[in-house]
């Protein structure tokens, strides 16, 4: 794999995985824009491993409290134990839907048109939720009902361009959670989701006999993790003082540019 593609895949995966702008949507564009073949599932798994450990390190304090709460059966800190159970419960819908979609092999899921329109649609939804959301609730107000609603919203992220981070933050803002809480819960919810997706892809690799993780994959994992960590820090710092509009504007421009390119037969 050319070194520039290793760096590009790592940069795109790492930066876009946790920002509300869709990592899968950007990765779909790489072969189109670079004339390079699809990077392969081995590199996909490596990139997801890198981002998984990045968010694990970034939220290490929260995750430690959740694990202690669960292992103590809620005696040490019932709120942390409950949060852990909510995260696991909220992940069930997307895992079930993901298994179905993974083997459905729907062509429209890899079409540039789908990517373009989903960017526009979910950008507008994010803007509306952020503009009119009350922003009164914090993580202490999270309960099973809103957690499951946010988890169900993750199913939309199976469509390239929808963005897992974007739809979960949108759902949280719709329910009145503040921006930092929406982002934190989205990051926490990414852990079981990314782990599930990684296990599914690894199973496919084992089934196909394509499990050769070499230096390319190791470098992708390292760079993706580093980029993801920096992107999470930047996002949380931004949301502490501003709104989601910068992400909304970016997605509107991207969606409009893709539609223009389609109409101009640039992807023919």
């Amino acid at each position: 794999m050319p070194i520039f593609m290793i760096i590009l895949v790592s940069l795109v995966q790492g930066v876009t995985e946790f920002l509300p702008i869709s990592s899968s949507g950007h990765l779909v564009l790489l072969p189109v824009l670079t004339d390079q073949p699809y990077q392969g599932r081995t590199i996909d798994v490596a990139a997801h491993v890198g981002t998984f450990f990045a968010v694990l390190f970034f939220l290490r304090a929260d995750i430690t409290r959740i694990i202690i709460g669960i292992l103590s059966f809620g005696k040490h800190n019932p709120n942390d134990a409950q949060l852990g159970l909510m995260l696991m419960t909220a992940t069930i819908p997307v895992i079930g839907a993901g298994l179905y979609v993974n083997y459905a092999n729907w062509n429209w899921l890899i079409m540039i048109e789908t990517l373009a329109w989903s960017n526009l649609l979910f950008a507008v939804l994010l803007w509306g939720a952020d503009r009119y959301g009350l922003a009164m609730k914090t993580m202490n107000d999270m309960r099973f009902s809103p957690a499951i609603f946010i988890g169900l919203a993750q199913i939309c992220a199976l469509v390239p361009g929808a963005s897992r981070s974007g739809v979960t933050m949108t759902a949280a803002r719709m329910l009145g959670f503040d921006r930092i809480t929406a982002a934190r819960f989205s990051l926490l919810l990414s852990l079981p989701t990314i782990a599930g997706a990684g296990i599914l892809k690894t199973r496919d690799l084992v089934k196909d006999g394509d499990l050769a993780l070499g230096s390319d994959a190791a470098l992708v994992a390292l760079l993706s993790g580093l980029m993801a960590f920096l992107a999470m820090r930047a996002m949380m710092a931004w949301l502490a003082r501003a709104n989601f509009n910068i992400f909304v504007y970016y997605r509107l421009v991207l969606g409009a540019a893709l539609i223009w390119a389609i109409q101009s037969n640039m992807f023919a």
Side-chain angles (χ1 to χ4, degrees):
M1 190 175 181
I3 186 64
F4 86 91
M5 280 301 295
I6 290 176
I7 296 173
L8 191 57
V9 169
S10 303
L11 180 64
V12 170
Q13 173 67 26
V15 171
T16 62
E17 177 66 36
F18 302 113
L19 300 184
I21 57 176
S22 178
S23 61
S24 61
H26 286 76
L27 289 174
V28 165
L29 288 175
L30 286 185
V32 179
L33 298 177
T34 62
D35 290 327
Q36 292 288 323
Y38 167 60
Q39 62 268 14
R41 283 182 293 183
T42 299
I43 296 299
D44 274 353
V45 170
H48 278 81
V49 167
T51 53
F52 176 82
F53 281 102
V55 72
L56 201 65
F57 180 75
F58 186 76
L59 297 175
R60 59 193 181 279
D62 300 81
I63 295 165
T64 299
R65 288 195 301 270
I66 290 171
I67 292 174
I68 292 173
I70 292 176
L71 292 179
S72 66
F73 297 98
K75 294 179 181 179
H76 183 77
N77 193 327
N79 290 334
D80 290 331
Q82 186 179 43
L83 177 58
L85 293 175
M86 286 188 290
L87 291 169
M88 289 186 282
T89 304
T91 305
I92 294 173
V94 75
I95 289 178
L99 285 170
Y100 178 78
V101 170
N102 186 64
Y103 297 108
N105 197 27
W106 291 330
N107 289 331
W108 63 271
L109 285 177
I110 59 174
M111 293 172 61
I112 302 299
E113 290 88 345
T114 302
L115 174 59
W117 287 108
S118 60
N119 260 296
L120 294 175
L121 172 62
F122 288 98
V124 172
L125 290 176
L126 177 59
W127 175 83
D130 191 46
R131 173 68 176 79
Y132 297 104
L134 297 177
M136 295 174 60
K137 300 178 183 178
T138 66
M139 193 69 78
N140 291 330
D141 300 306
M142 185 64 69
R143 298 293 183 269
F144 275 94
S145 293
I148 292 172
F149 177 79
I150 296 170
L152 287 169
Q154 281 194 115
I155 295 175
C156 298
L158 296 172
V159 179
S163 172
R164 190 210 63 82
S165 297
V167 296
T168 51
M169 292 180 197
T170 298
R173 291 292 290 119
M174 284 181 176
L175 296 174
F177 289 93
D178 62 53
R179 296 183 182 104
I180 294 296
T181 299
R184 270 187 64 209
F185 190 78
S186 176
L187 290 175
L188 287 168
L189 197 56
S190 73
L191 283 167
T193 305
I194 294 175
I199 291 171
L200 183 62
K201 290 183 178 182
T202 301
R203 193 181 79 166
D204 289 341
L205 288 174
V206 172
K207 184 178 178 180
D208 296 340
D210 183 20
L211 199 59
L213 289 176
S215 57
D216 287 358
L219 185 55
V220 166
L222 179 63
L223 292 177
S224 294
L226 177 60
M227 292 299 103
F229 179 78
L230 295 176
M232 284 184 285
R233 287 191 62 178
M235 179 182 69
M236 297 303 282
W238 176 267
L239 293 178
R241 65 179 190 275
N243 55 32
F244 284 98
N245 282 356
I246 187 172
F247 306 111
V248 171
Y249 298 151
Y250 171 78
R251 298 182 70 179
L252 289 175
V253 171
L254 176 60
L258 289 174
I259 291 174
W260 173 81
I262 292 167
Q263 295 298 320
S264 303
N265 294 317
M266 294 181 66
F267 297 119

